[in-house]
Amino acid sequence: MNVLLSAYACMPNSGSEPGNGWNWAMHLAERGINVTVLTRREGRDEIEAYRQAHPNGNLAFGYVSVPTKLFKPGTGMHYALWQMFAVGVARSLNRQQRFDLVHHVTYTSIHVPTQLWRLGVPTVFGPVGGGQTAPASMLEYFGSSRRAEERRTLLTKALPFSPLHRRWLGKMTTVLAANDDTMQLIRAMGRSDVRLQFDNGVGADYLAPEPKSFKLGTPAVRLIWVGRILPRKALPMALDALAKVQHGWTLTIVGNGLAEATVRQMIAERGLSDRVHWAGRRLSWEEVRAEYLKHDVLLFTSLRETSGVQLLEAMAVGLPVITLDLHGARDVVPEEAGIKVPVTTPAEVVCGLANAVDRFASMSVDQKNAMSRASWDFARTSTWASRAAKAELLYAELVEKAT
């Protein structure tokens, strides 16, 4: 089977969206599928260096350039333009070898659907997210980005009334939604047959060999917060909550995105400098996994998130999760694997997060170990190998129907 994999973000040894694109490509190719990956030209040198060191006859790449420097790679406008120019490159590749199917996997944005259905072959779109919106009651945590977030919410809620989006989604053979919010939006856009499928996976080698084993007498709860320090990730809210926690705790922040002085001030003005640790830089993929292993629980506070790869990464090493009962976290984290805090008002959410940390700290060793087991068991069902196996079954179904 010849598959064209549309992966705007695709890079070896990466996390987040670039890691998603890469893992889709590698694990589909490992199943014997002939995969041609359509991706950004900016990643060509790194990808080709990897291919030279790790040859794979089932894997090829096509690179798409955006012929303007007005928009930075990775931004929304660059991605939208890339989608337009990708069609021409895809048509050229399709003339060289006829594709049986197209699958778009990154970016996972409902706002800018792939245009590769124009090739006239079965097209899978997703798992795609972006249908979730930040709760209006929590917008104070967006600071100067509040107006931009309000505009994004209006745009998202207007999508069902966009004739272009409805037409484009109607051209897809199958649409996969990465969370329930996006699934409901896609249904409102006319695709009642949308399927729910989480968009992240973990490698089998990323999984810990067993769940975490908690011990008696741990002096403090070791929390870890992972992600880019963006307004929607709500790190200040996490710090506000921790300032109210009664039990002993420490927090490690993994990620960057703001100036170091700004983050240090954010921590200091809450009087938390002695308990919050931050390297002040972005850590490598291997370093992030090592940090997970040193901690007891993931604190995840994003106010708008498709699913959050951090959730699955943490569960893969057996970490319980304290999170908001919202969007992808609500859908992905099993009830037995974490504590989900209802989203109401800022004051109530802050108190809820603090109470969740205190509740976790008060649990018995057996209760904590049971949460770790539930996390780890779920992650074992969410490997990239299993994602690829399910995709292959879907491909076979769609190709058979098309013949």
Side-chain angles (χ1 to χ4, degrees):
M1 183 183 296
N2 293 328
V3 171
L4 179 64
L5 192 75
S6 173
Y8 172 79
C10 183
M11 198 68 69
N13 302 316
S14 297
S16 193
E17 292 267 14
N20 272 9
W22 186 260
N23 277 293
W24 273 114
M26 295 298 293
H27 286 86
L28 289 172
E30 285 176 4
R31 298 195 64 80
I33 297 171
N34 294 318
V35 181
T36 300
V37 184
L38 204 58
T39 190
R40 299 197 312 238
R41 184 170 291 274
E42 288 82 4
R44 180 172 186 166
D45 290 346
E46 190 169 343
I47 290 171
E48 292 302 324
Y50 184 97
R51 291 182 66 202
Q52 187 171 359
H54 307 86
N56 187 329
N58 293 332
L59 195 59
F61 284 81
Y63 299 98
V64 179
S65 295
V66 175
T68 177
K69 297 188 181 298
L70 292 176
F71 306 107
K72 183 179 178 182
T75 61
M77 281 304 301
H78 189 274
Y79 173 59
L81 289 172
W82 183 89
Q83 292 278 32
M84 295 171 55
F85 289 104
V87 175
V89 176
R91 282 174 171 158
S92 177
L93 292 170
N94 195 37
R95 286 193 291 269
Q96 298 170 31
Q97 60 161 339
R98 178 72 178 174
F99 294 115
D100 299 301
L101 181 138
V102 173
H103 186 181
H104 176 85
V105 294
T106 77
Y107 279 163
T108 56
S109 171
I110 189 61
H111 296 83
V112 188
T114 181
Q115 297 297 303
L116 293 177
W117 52 266
R118 298 176 187 274
L119 294 187
V121 299
T123 302
V124 179
F125 181 43
V128 61
Q132 65 283 346
T133 58
S137 63
M138 303 299 294
L139 288 176
E140 68 179 56
Y141 277 109
F142 284 79
S144 61
S145 299
R146 176 171 183 156
R147 291 295 177 85
E149 189 65 23
E150 289 173 335
R151 288 193 295 270
R152 184 200 173 276
T153 296
L154 288 173
L155 177 63
T156 302
K157 291 183 176 180
L159 287 179
F161 307 100
S162 166
L164 277 178
H165 283 80
R166 294 179 74 93
R167 177 175 182 267
W168 292 335
L169 283 188
K171 295 292 186 178
M172 313 296 180
T173 311
T174 297
V175 181
L176 306 173
N179 60 36
D180 186 68
D181 297 85
T182 305
M183 184 169 68
Q184 298 306 324
L185 179 67
I186 291 171
R187 284 176 175 166
M189 296 167 71
R191 287 300 300 252
S192 59
D193 60 342
V194 59
R195 309 183 191 187
L196 181 65
Q197 180 179 309
F198 301 136
D199 61 333
N200 294 316
V202 290
D205 57 349
Y206 195 96
L207 285 164
E210 59 186 4
K212 186 176 179 65
S213 179
F214 288 90
K215 308 295 183 185
L216 284 171
T218 303
V221 178
R222 298 169 298 180
L223 298 132
I224 184 170
W225 187 101
V226 180
R228 288 198 66 200
I229 306 174
L230 302 173
R232 65 184 174 88
K233 304 286 186 176
L235 176 60
M237 182 176 69
L239 298 174
D240 288 342
L242 290 173
K244 294 180 176 294
V245 173
Q246 300 300 307
H247 288 78
W249 60 269
T250 62
L251 174 71
T252 298
I253 299 170
V254 175
N256 61 355
L258 285 178
E260 181 171 354
T262 301
V263 179
R264 300 291 182 199
Q265 180 182 355
M266 189 186 300
I267 297 167
E269 66 189 8
R270 291 167 172 82
L272 304 178
S273 297
D274 59 334
R275 288 183 287 177
V276 178
H277 311 291
W278 180 51
R281 63 180 177 87
R282 183 175 182 177
L283 302 186
S284 70
W285 184 77
E286 294 82 3
E287 289 175 313
V288 174
R289 185 178 186 276
E291 287 297 327
Y292 283 129
L293 290 168
K294 298 175 186 175
H295 290 81
D296 301 319
V297 60
L298 173 70
L299 180 61
F300 188 81
T301 56
S302 184
L303 292 168
R304 175 172 56 79
E305 197 78 39
T306 290
S307 56
V309 67
Q310 306 97 317
L311 298 167
L312 195 54
E313 289 174 347
M315 289 190 287
V317 299
L319 289 194
V321 178
I322 294 174
T323 185
L324 303 180
D325 191 15
L326 191 67
H327 304 154
R330 175 189 58 214
D331 299 334
V332 172
V333 180
E335 296 299 326
E336 303 81 8
I339 302 173
K340 301 176 188 178
V341 176
V343 178
T344 52
T345 67
E348 289 175 344
V349 171
V350 165
C351 288
L353 287 167
N355 290 339
V357 176
D358 279 325
R359 176 183 161 193
F360 180 82
S362 300
M363 286 181 177
S364 68
V365 168
D366 287 345
Q367 288 174 316
K368 292 177 182 177
N369 285 339
M371 292 183 81
S372 175
R373 166 68 68 173
S375 289
W376 186 71
D377 282 345
F378 176 78
R380 287 197 300 163
T381 70
S382 305
T383 63
W384 279 114
S386 66
R387 292 275 189 267
K390 290 177 182 176
E392 185 178 21
L393 290 175
L394 175 61
Y395 296 169
E397 172 193 334
L398 299 181
V399 170
E400 182 179 359
K401 286 181 179 178
T403 56

